[in-house]
Amino acid sequence: FQNLSVVKISRVNGMQDLSWLVFAPNVISIHVMWSSRELQEIISREKVSGILNEGSSIVPFRKLREIQLRFFMELKSIYWERLELPSLERVFIMMCPKLKKLPFSKERAYYFDLRAHNEEWFERLEWEDEAIED
């Protein structure tokens, strides 16, 4: 996956997560829509915890510039803890009603464009602190 830079997935059934993305260090764009109803998390903590331990050199989404997630009624998590996401420019979330937390650090939250399908979703988001929410 070293050369993978753009990921577009649409209308795929049976996926439970996209944990394999941690092996794509150069991915800059992720667009996923209308995929599996079973998909509850983008990166599964259970599946990658042995790979992403303290001594690991893998840093997920280091080059990611854009992520779009659309029509995931069961999606609950992108990543279980904060990520620095130093290159992130755009995030678009549409129809992901169970997604309540985003993995953005306070420092990075000010530097990218975050959009969602409706304001009600924004109001239901849970934030670690007020600085990120602002």
Side-chain angles (χ1 to χ4, degrees), residues 46-71:
E46 181 179 322
K47 288 185 179 178
V48 301
S49 62
I51 299 163
L52 300 177
N53 56 27
E54 288 186 28
S56 174
S57 62
I58 297 174
V59 179
F61 306 130
R62 184 177 52 224
K63 295 183 180 181
L64 186 66
R65 287 191 223 149
E66 176 182 41
I67 185 167
Q68 290 189 28
L69 302 171
R70 300 175 188 223
F71 305 103

Side-chain angles (χ1 to χ4, degrees), residues 49-102:
S49 62
I51 299 163
L52 300 177
N53 56 27
E54 288 186 28
S56 174
S57 62
I58 297 174
V59 179
F61 306 130
R62 184 177 52 224
K63 295 183 180 181
L64 186 66
R65 287 191 223 149
E66 176 182 41
I67 185 167
Q68 290 189 28
L69 302 171
R70 300 175 188 223
F71 305 103
F72 290 104
M73 304 313 280
E74 300 301 318
L75 181 67
K76 295 177 184 172
S77 170
I78 294 172
Y79 198 78
W80 65 91
E81 62 185 10
R82 287 188 310 173
L83 290 168
E84 290 305 314
L85 303 168
S87 302
L88 192 62
E89 297 171 0
R90 285 180 298 279
V91 176
F92 183 77
I93 310 288
M94 180 177 190
M95 298 302 292
C96 299
K98 293 186 178 181
L99 182 62
K100 300 209 185 304
K101 287 187 176 184
L102 300 174

Side-chain angles (χ1 to χ4, degrees), residues 5-9 18 21 27-32 42 61 64-69 92:
S5 61
V6 175
V7 175
K8 292 186 178 186
I9 299 172
L18 301 174
L21 286 172
V27 69
I28 59 171
S29 179
I30 299 171
H31 294 228
V32 187
I42 300 300
F61 306 130
L64 186 66
R65 287 191 223 149
E66 176 182 41
I67 185 167
Q68 290 189 28
L69 302 171
F92 183 77

Side-chain angles (χ1 to χ4, degrees), residues 33-55:
M33 64 184 80
W34 289 104
S35 289
S36 176
R37 291 189 180 270
E38 295 88 26
L39 192 120
Q40 292 187 18
E41 48 193 349
I42 300 300
I43 305 297
S44 168
R45 182 179 195 168
E46 181 179 322
K47 288 185 179 178
V48 301
S49 62
I51 299 163
L52 300 177
N53 56 27
E54 288 186 28

